[in-house]
Amino acid sequence: MDSQVLVALALSLVGGLSTSLGALFVILNQAPNLKMLGLLQGFAAGLMLSISFLDLAHNAMNSIGFLKGNLWFFAGVIFFAIIANFIPEPTIAPSSDARNKKNNGDEKDLMKRHRRQVLFSGVITAIGISLHNFPEGMAVFLGSIKGLRVGLNLALAIALHNIPEGVAVALPVYFATESKWQAFKLATLSGFAEPLGVVIVAYLFPSSISTEILEGLLGSVGGVMAFLTLHEMLPLAFDYAGQKQAVKAVFLGMAFMSASLYFLEISLPGEMSL
């Protein structure tokens, strides 16, 4: 296997396995701190927005022109907007309402049905997260072709984004099955769609791909990430952490990513930073 593909696989595994950290939040704590989850979502949203607008879209416009760069960017936005209509929304639904049914005579039957519904929602969430982890794996691969700096920054932003996704999968499964292993396993498996995306795109796109198409594809990835951030991450951050706190976390994430871009630029060998 090509060394570029191996590097991309390693980076995507970091992002994919971070869903396991989200699962650990659930199984090691009786009740997850949703405010902390919201702050983490806001921070990750700042990372993603910084990558999307200040790195990927910016570089695409500089390399292939303002018009082409924008066309590629909004092609990514439209593509993922269409895909999002067919993907169930990953949500974290508090299960406290189940406790309100204790006065009913058929409490056990109601609880069984409730657990089945919650388990089904957890499985659907895992499928949805797996589906949108594919383009994240593709993003890491395309970024790694562009340079190790881009690949590392994408992997970092995606890894932080995937932690709350692991919570979104593990929480309903843990509630429904009362099995820590099942919750951890399903959350981890949903993250493996990311390295699978690397393998798929590695055989669809040759390494000799032209610079213009590569920059355009990366611009499209920026559009996908921008849509994902504004459509999924920010609303959850606002819900769980509150608007004021979430906005602060977003700008903290953007500042962190800017510092990361600078640090990697000056620390990586010249032939690797591109």
Side-chain angles (χ1 to χ4, degrees):
M1 196 177 278
D2 190 88
S3 61
Q4 254 179 352
V5 178
L6 288 175
V7 169
L9 270 175
L11 291 175
S12 66
L13 277 171
V14 171
L17 289 175
S18 63
T19 57
S20 302
L21 292 178
L24 286 175
F25 268 158
V26 173
I27 65 178
L28 295 181
N29 295 286
Q30 198 65 27
N33 186 334
L34 293 182
K35 183 175 182 181
M36 198 65 203
L37 175 65
L39 290 173
L40 183 60
Q41 277 282 66
F43 184 80
L47 297 181
M48 301 281 273
L49 289 174
S50 185
I51 285 276
S52 300
F53 292 112
L54 304 181
D55 194 13
L56 297 177
H58 173 75
N59 287 343
M61 289 180 219
N62 282 343
S63 299
I64 61 178
F66 184 82
L67 178 61
K68 286 183 179 179
N70 269 282
L71 288 174
W72 277 100
F73 177 84
F74 284 105
V77 171
I78 293 168
F79 169 76
F80 202 77
I82 294 170
I83 294 296
N85 288 327
F86 302 98
I87 298 177
E89 288 286 333
T91 56
I92 301 176
S95 56
S96 58
D97 61 322
R99 298 178 192 136
N100 297 330
K101 302 185 187 287
K102 288 186 177 179
N103 294 327
N104 297 333
D106 55 348
E107 176 195 342
K108 288 184 180 178
D109 187 50
L110 284 172
M111 183 59 78
K112 269 187 180 179
R113 274 192 313 220
H114 185 72
R115 288 188 187 279
R116 278 198 297 269
Q117 289 171 347
V118 172
L119 178 60
F120 179 74
S121 75
V123 172
I124 290 297
T125 300
I127 293 171
I129 286 174
S130 297
L131 287 174
H132 86 237
N133 273 347
F134 276 107
E136 289 177 357
M138 294 175 182
V140 171
F141 177 74
L142 293 171
S144 299
I145 292 179
K146 176 86 189 314
L148 185 58
R149 177 183 64 85
V150 178
L152 280 171
N153 280 284
L154 285 170
L156 173 64
I158 289 168
L160 285 171
H161 162 61
N162 281 354
I163 292 173
E165 286 185 352
V167 175
V169 174
L171 186 60
V173 175
Y174 184 34
F175 171 78
T177 65
E178 297 182 328
S179 168
K180 294 182 177 183
W181 168 242
Q182 291 297 330
F184 183 81
K185 180 175 71 173
L186 196 58
T188 301
L189 286 175
S190 70
F192 274 109
E194 215 158 284
L196 187 57
V198 170
V199 173
I200 290 173
V201 80
Y203 290 101
L204 288 177
F205 296 101
S207 58
S208 58
I209 189 169
S210 74
T211 303
E212 182 170 336
I213 293 177
L214 175 60
E215 291 291 351
L217 287 170
L218 287 169
S220 292
V221 168
V224 168
M225 288 189 160
F227 182 88
L228 176 66
T229 302
L230 298 174
H231 186 260
E232 295 185 24
M233 297 171 70
L234 277 183
L236 285 179
F238 288 165
D239 285 346
Y240 294 141
Q243 188 171 343
K244 289 184 179 179
Q245 295 300 318
V247 167
K248 290 175 186 176
V250 168
F251 281 107
L252 183 63
M254 294 184 77
F256 180 87
M257 181 52 66
S258 296
S260 173
L261 287 167
Y262 174 73
F263 174 76
L264 286 168
E265 186 67 35
I266 63 173
S267 64
L268 288 176
E271 68 272 9
M272 299 179 91
S273 61
L274 274 170

